[in-house]
Amino acid sequence: MIRILRAPLAATAALLALAACSSGGTTAGTVTSGSAQPPAAGASQGDGALTIGTVLPQTGSLAYLGPPMFGGVDLALKEINEAGGVLGKPVTKYDTDSGDNTTNIASQAVDKLLTQKVDAIVGAASSSVSESIIDKITRAGVVQFSPANTSDKFTTIEDDGLYFRTAPPDKLQGRVLGDVVVSDGNDTVGILAMQDSYGTGLADQVQKTVTDGGGDVVERVDYDPKAADFSADVAKIKAKNPKAIVLIGFEETAKVVQELVKQGLTSDKYKWYMVDGNMSNTNYLKMPKGTMDGVKGTLPGAEAPEAFQKRLLKVNPKITEYTYAAESYDAVTLIALAAEAAKSDTGPAIAGKLVETSKGGTKCTGFKECADLLKAGTDIDYDGVSGPVDFNDVGDPSVATIGVYRYGADNKFNAAKAIEYRRGNIAG
């Protein structure tokens, strides 16, 4: 069950009870569904040096997410190596581009990283891209750890127990967003969603939540994100005249927004809602001021502490938003701690310790504090910047937070602080 606690800035609202089931996954060394387990005794100890690769967006429809995600990775590695590294050696990193689901860049990137003998790969950002590379990564015995995949498919995907994520499944974000839409007084809703595993899955959950909450989804359009023109798609929404319009997509949402304005469905007359894939502080800056004023959107992740943001800006002063920075930081830190706990840098050994290091022991934050406890023989419970994490047996976070943000007249939102946070506990 998922129980969501609303935590607005001014007051704390009541609990919203939501139900979901997390099942499936695979055990290391098998190709059937089940819980992730530690590797068998006598597993290879690797070369003793942890090597991490990244497959994160430098180009494509999610390129705007690249800076905060790379920043989170780089900050974690900086702190890990300053604390003495992993297994007494510095951690090595190789960066590659994930592109998006219109290219084969990610597959080529994985091939390159595997030849460089990486032990774990951080990425991809896009769920569709991760779907296209997960078999290649896990068959090689390498951990795949995404800071941003939210598709519900990954809860039950065959992964040999080697896939993990710090981003919560879309069931949680979809239910939070759907509840926000209904609680804002919208009884008629239109949905424009990109047609892929991310878009349709999230749209399904939003639609269900709106309907369960007493609203009516009067029109839903699943569109081709590569389309040159979205006029016909927007026209279908306009014909039903909903009070609220939910936009689920990536960078192409800017074109959808322009078409909404062109057809008179502006944000001052209709309530627009967005999601993590299109919440951006760069994508809408060239539009007339006020275009995005009042638009709400959801982003997974707890409020990032100011101290973390300052450390992140020292790594990359050009960062303008923090989406998935904390999740990326936590992914790398957890990989490093799992390797320390396993006393091995191999993928199966790391995977076998990720659940254990995320919950159930002595709470700690930061690599050095947690690594010192491990070296003293203490079981740890890493609490990350993105939240407690607490992996369930299939590599999903069992606890997560969704932030609700609002755009201002400058077509930007305050990326450092949401207008409210809703925390969800997820168990199968």
Side-chain angles (χ1 to χ4, degrees):
M1 172 170 290
I2 303 173
R3 298 190 67 83
I4 295 181
L5 177 63
R6 300 183 187 177
L9 299 182
T12 302
L15 286 173
L16 170 66
L18 303 171
C21 184
S22 298
S23 60
T26 53
T27 303
T30 72
V31 291
T32 57
S33 217
S35 300
Q37 300 291 336
S44 168
Q45 295 303 296
D47 60 9
L50 179 62
T51 303
I52 294 176
T54 66
V55 182
L56 296 172
Q58 299 174 19
T59 62
S61 57
L62 287 180
Y64 76 95
L65 289 180
M69 296 178 77
F70 280 112
V73 170
D74 291 344
L75 176 59
L77 284 173
K78 177 177 180 291
E79 295 178 356
I80 290 166
N81 286 335
E82 286 177 350
V86 173
L87 306 175
K89 297 180 180 179
V91 179
T92 301
K93 174 180 69 86
Y94 297 101
D95 289 328
T96 64
D97 182 16
S98 64
D100 57 29
N101 60 5
T102 66
T103 69
N104 195 40
I105 291 174
S107 180
Q108 296 169 10
V110 169
D111 288 340
K112 180 179 180 181
L113 292 174
L114 293 179
T115 64
Q116 292 167 321
K117 301 188 183 303
V118 299
D119 304 302
I121 290 176
V122 177
S126 161
S127 293
S128 294
V129 171
S130 280
E131 277 190 73
S132 72
I133 59 177
I134 187 171
D135 286 347
K136 184 178 291 189
I137 296 171
T138 56
R139 279 202 307 266
V142 172
V143 168
Q144 181 178 357
F145 200 136
S146 175
N149 288 165
T150 58
S151 171
D152 293 327
K153 288 185 178 181
F154 291 104
T155 297
T156 56
I157 201 165
E158 292 187 354
D159 60 3
D160 287 347
L162 293 169
Y163 175 88
F164 294 80
R165 56 179 167 180
T166 36
D170 278 330
K171 284 182 179 179
L172 181 55
Q173 183 180 190
R175 292 179 183 217
V176 169
L177 182 59
D179 183 64
V180 169
V181 171
V182 173
S183 63
D184 281 351
N186 301 297
D187 55 4
T188 56
V189 181
I191 299 176
L192 280 161
M194 66 184 295
Q195 193 168 30
D196 76 344
S197 60
Y198 166 79
T200 56
L202 189 45
D204 287 346
Q205 191 59 65
V206 171
Q207 182 169 354
K208 182 178 187 302
T209 304
V210 168
T211 302
D212 289 348
D216 183 15
V217 177
V218 293
E219 184 64 73
R220 171 175 164 178
V221 180
D222 290 10
Y223 63 80
D224 178 1
K226 299 186 294 292
D229 178 80
F230 298 99
S231 58
D233 300 316
V234 171
K236 292 178 182 177
I237 299 293
K238 182 178 181 178
K240 297 299 178 66
N241 195 36
K243 290 181 180 178
I245 301 172
V246 177
L247 305 175
I248 300 173
F250 292 158
E251 189 179 46
E252 83 289 341
T253 301
K255 294 181 180 178
V256 176
V257 165
Q258 289 171 339
E259 189 60 40
L260 287 169
V261 172
K262 184 179 178 181
Q263 296 195 28
L265 305 179
T266 53
S267 63
D268 60 337
K269 299 177 182 176
Y270 298 81
K271 293 179 181 177
W272 297 357
Y273 297 86
M274 304 177 83
V275 291
D276 60 314
N278 50 23
M279 287 289 289
S280 169
N281 272 336
T282 57
N283 208 22
Y284 315 106
L285 290 182
K286 294 182 180 179
M287 297 180 182
K289 288 190 179 299
T291 299
M292 303 292 292
D293 193 18
V295 176
K296 289 183 179 180
T298 49
L299 290 174
E303 180 181 358
E306 186 177 352
F308 172 75
Q309 295 174 14
K310 288 181 177 179
R311 300 201 315 270
L312 197 66
L313 289 171
K314 287 183 179 179
V315 172
N316 182 357
K318 296 181 179 179
I319 289 175
T320 59
E321 49 198 320
Y322 302 95
T323 307
Y324 294 122
E327 286 80 2
S328 300
Y329 175 91
D330 287 342
V332 173
T333 302
L334 279 162
I335 289 168
L337 290 171
E340 280 283 351
K343 296 181 171 56
S344 170
D345 60 293
T346 67
I350 292 169
K353 289 293 185 178
L354 275 169
V355 174
E356 180 182 316
T357 55
S358 76
K359 64 181 180 181
T362 299
K363 288 190 178 294
C364 56
T365 58
F367 175 78
K368 187 178 188 309
E369 179 189 357
C370 296
D372 286 347
L373 288 170
L374 286 172
K375 289 170 184 176
T378 304
D379 181 28
I380 66 167
D381 176 359
Y382 173 75
D383 276 2
V385 182
S386 65
V389 184
D390 290 1
F391 289 123
N392 61 25
D393 288 340
V394 296
D396 286 347
S398 60
V399 179
T401 300
I402 305 293
V404 181
Y405 297 78
R406 181 189 288 119
Y407 279 88
D410 60 354
N411 297 334
K412 296 172 66 176
F413 65 94
N414 183 355
K417 196 175 189 66
I419 58 175
E420 64 172 297
Y421 293 92
R422 302 188 184 190
R423 181 170 170 174
N425 298 311
I426 309 168

